[in-house]
Amino acid sequence: MTAQHQFPAETNQSHRKNAFYPSVEEVASIPPLYATENTPAADKVVHLHYSVGRCDWYIAEVDPESLTAFGWAEVSPGCGEWVYSNLAEMEGLNAQGYVIERDVTFEPVRAGDVPRINGTPSDRSEYQYSAPLTAEDAERLGELLGLIMATCAEVSSGKTGLPTGFFLRSYTRDEAMDALGLEFLSHIAAGDSEVTAAGKAGGWLLKVTSESLAIAVEFRRSQR
């Protein structure tokens, strides 16, 4: 990308914390389209990370002229795959105020080392607690998380018409369970009661679900 060829103006800039497009220098370091086609998927290097809700895009190749990008994306829960996307179309998506954000702290990394891509739980070591959970606490936590997920699945089903099983399959994945558990425990650690923490964790899960579904619908519509 040259100084004469710049990214288009952002249409949703006011909804974002950071710029959607990377710098000219960052783009110059990303391989062009098809440059890594003979590289095993796990060994491809992903240079950019975009997300909204539980939707993620990890970019490995970019054509700065057409803004076509190739990388790993999970737009529907449990359906991650290597696909082509268009950065301009992604930037323009706005589903009820939800927009796709670029992770400006993301550093280039081998795809096989990204937890979301290789299927291992994300590193959430920033959450620290004063003592490990006892077996009784862990059993109680499991019961509470199950109740929160079941309640949220029913609410989401009522709003969308999709079966509750669709949401429960997404919620019961290890990564989702870990994230929900940590969300709940963070409120407990802050001094909230179980009831208050459960309500806040449920609200968080419903918000993430709404974001993911809204952007997934808009993304699928834009691909037609």
Side-chain angles (χ1 to χ4, degrees):
M1 175 172 288
T2 65
Q4 289 73 35
H5 185 93
Q6 299 292 336
F7 284 117
E10 294 188 28
T11 59
N12 289 304
Q13 188 174 24
S14 62
H15 294 279
R16 291 193 174 90
K17 300 176 182 177
N18 303 292
F20 179 85
Y21 295 114
S23 68
V24 172
E25 291 74 21
E26 287 176 300
V27 173
S29 69
I30 303 175
L33 293 184
Y34 314 116
T36 69
E37 62 181 349
N38 293 322
T39 303
D43 292 330
K44 295 181 190 294
V45 174
V46 288
H47 296 259
L48 302 172
H49 175 219
Y50 291 92
S51 66
V52 60
R54 295 194 65 237
C55 301
D56 285 276
W57 291 261
Y58 290 90
I59 307 301
E61 302 173 353
V62 169
D63 174 22
E65 299 296 323
S66 66
L67 299 185
T68 299
F70 176 74
W72 188 92
E74 182 173 351
V75 179
S76 299
C79 298
E81 58 184 339
W82 290 89
V83 297
Y84 289 93
S85 305
N86 184 276
L87 294 181
E89 292 178 359
M90 289 170 58
E91 191 284 321
L93 290 176
N94 186 325
Q96 302 174 26
Y98 299 125
V99 297
I100 299 173
E101 296 270 8
R102 178 170 66 94
D103 179 1
V104 297
T105 66
F106 187 77
E107 297 287 342
V109 64
R110 178 176 170 274
D113 294 329
V114 177
R116 190 70 187 270
I117 298 177
N118 66 32
T120 60
S122 301
D123 177 13
R124 300 298 293 273
S125 58
E126 67 268 23
Y127 291 90
Q128 300 292 334
Y129 303 101
S130 58
L133 294 175
T134 65
E136 183 178 350
D137 288 337
E139 182 178 357
R140 174 62 177 164
L141 176 61
E143 293 175 353
L144 286 169
L145 295 185
L147 179 59
I148 293 170
M149 289 189 292
T151 301
C152 289
E154 290 182 5
V155 172
S156 297
S157 176
K159 289 183 176 180
T160 64
L162 294 170
T164 57
F166 172 84
F167 297 100
L168 285 174
R169 283 193 295 274
S170 174
Y171 295 162
T172 53
R173 294 172 59 203
D174 287 343
E175 183 181 342
M177 284 282 285
D178 289 345
L180 180 61
L182 289 169
E183 180 72 19
F184 174 83
L185 288 173
S186 68
H187 295 299
I188 292 293
D192 287 339
S193 67
E194 282 190 351
V195 173
T196 300
K200 290 180 178 179
W204 169 83
L205 183 57
L206 286 173
K207 180 177 182 293
V208 170
T209 301
S210 296
E211 290 177 352
S212 299
L213 284 175
I215 208 70
V217 168
E218 290 297 322
F219 184 77
R220 295 298 185 190
R221 184 177 297 155
S222 71
Q223 302 303 298
R224 293 176 182 173

